[in-house]
Amino acid sequence: ELKVEQNPLFLSMQEGKNYTIYCNYSTTSDRLYWYRQDPGKSLESLFVLLSNGAVKQEGRLMASLDTKARLSTLHITAAVHDLSATYFCAVDLSYNTDKLIFGTGTRLQVFP
Amino acid sequence: KAGVTQTPRYLIKTRGQQVTLSCSPISGHRSVSWYQQTPGQGLQFLFEYFSETQRNKGNFPGRFSGRQFSNSRSEMNVSTLELGDSALYLCASSLGRGSHMIGDTQYFGPGTRLTVL
């Protein structure tokens, strides 16, 4: 059974600092997704990573995928308060279905 | 382009009752998936529908069921509600079969927050 683990679960960081969230998964998959969730809100799609070595960047966030290591990272550069949210990675197993297995989530809090 | 819509947004029921939640996908999307989110179990896959057919089902009891209509709208039903069914139920839509190859993703609705008393 596919398992997706994220670490850390909680992250409190100062504005301007850099940090990385890690997402490990247990079964081969070439597709990994990152979502953001604000308190009481739904999930917002951040990145779709479709192949080994894929790297995508949007603003202060950069995501990468290493399918051989079964590892994805979400790097935060020069954090700002607006990035405070819970970040989820998710993996699916098949090209033909939309069954996502989500990680535990990383709750990020950015303080001044 | 309108996003995924879910109704109702909030629902309060008592144990033993049943509930039906509705989801309207983004126009042109044929795949609809349902997820349950709770503080203890996180985000868990319930089921997925594509062209009115259930393609996948998660590890939930038979009290949880769903269906999809010809216009891709979907409903999920929970019968004989239990306290543990209290959760945020999220619906997501995507283009469907093979859409991942063009970088598509699942787009989530605002959710229905179900409270079982």
Side-chain angles (χ1 to χ4, degrees):
Chain A
E1 181 182 339
L2 174 63
K3 292 186 178 179
V4 183
E5 295 180 344
Q6 284 181 240
N7 68 83
L9 296 182
F10 300 97
L11 178 56
S12 182
M13 58 189 297
Q14 195 172 16
E15 281 188 331
K17 298 294 186 182
N18 304 331
Y19 209 85
T20 300
I21 299 172
Y22 297 89
C23 174
N24 292 274
Y25 54 98
S26 61
T27 305
T28 301
S29 174
D30 292 334
R31 294 163 307 287
L32 190 133
Y33 307 82
W34 283 96
Y35 287 89
R36 166 181 171 149
Q37 186 176 39
D38 291 293
K41 304 291 185 181
S42 187
L43 297 170
E44 173 192 355
S45 176
L46 294 174
F47 300 108
V48 181
L49 302 169
L50 293 177
S51 61
N52 187 42
V55 177
K56 290 196 174 180
Q57 183 165 4
E58 181 73 31
R60 301 175 187 275
L61 300 178
M62 183 175 70
S64 66
L65 177 62
D66 181 343
T67 58
K68 293 179 182 177
R70 298 177 187 171
L71 171 69
S72 179
T73 60
L74 181 66
H75 186 73
I76 302 158
T77 302
V80 293
H81 179 71
D82 285 351
L83 290 179
S84 297
T86 299
Y87 293 85
F88 293 93
C89 64
V91 177
D92 72 51
L93 294 175
S94 169
Y95 286 107
N96 292 324
T97 70
D98 279 338
K99 176 181 178 180
L100 291 181
I101 306 300
F102 281 87
T104 49
T106 296
R107 185 174 175 183
L108 170 66
Q109 183 176 16
V110 181
F111 60 92
Chain B
K1 193 172 183 180
V4 179
T5 58
Q6 292 186 245
T7 57
R9 294 293 309 280
Y10 302 91
L11 209 48
I12 299 175
K13 292 285 188 179
T14 57
R15 281 179 296 175
Q17 287 187 309
Q18 75 166 21
V19 67
T20 299
L21 311 181
S22 181
C23 171
S24 293
I26 293 172
S27 178
H29 284 191
R30 298 170 64 191
S31 173
V32 173
S33 301
W34 290 89
Y35 296 84
Q36 181 196 64
Q37 185 175 28
T38 60
Q41 298 299 317
L43 279 155
Q44 293 185 287
F45 172 81
L46 279 159
F47 26 64
E48 180 213 352
Y49 288 88
F50 179 82
S51 293
E52 302 178 67
T53 301
Q54 187 180 88
R55 287 203 296 196
N56 260 307
K57 190 176 192 303
N59 296 323
F60 280 82
R63 300 186 296 107
F64 291 81
S65 63
R67 59 177 175 168
Q68 187 181 33
F69 302 95
S70 58
N71 61 358
S72 294
R73 190 177 69 84
S74 177
E75 288 181 347
M76 67 163 281
N77 184 276
V78 188
S79 62
T80 319
L81 285 166
E82 301 177 358
L83 295 178
D85 297 333
S86 294
L88 179 67
Y89 290 89
L90 293 165
C91 164
S93 77
S94 75
L95 290 171
R97 194 183 305 270
S99 64
H100 307 291
M101 296 304 291
I102 57 173
D104 191 34
T105 187
Q106 291 186 47
Y107 298 89
F108 283 79
T112 295
R113 185 162 297 279
L114 171 65
T115 301
V116 182
L117 303 176

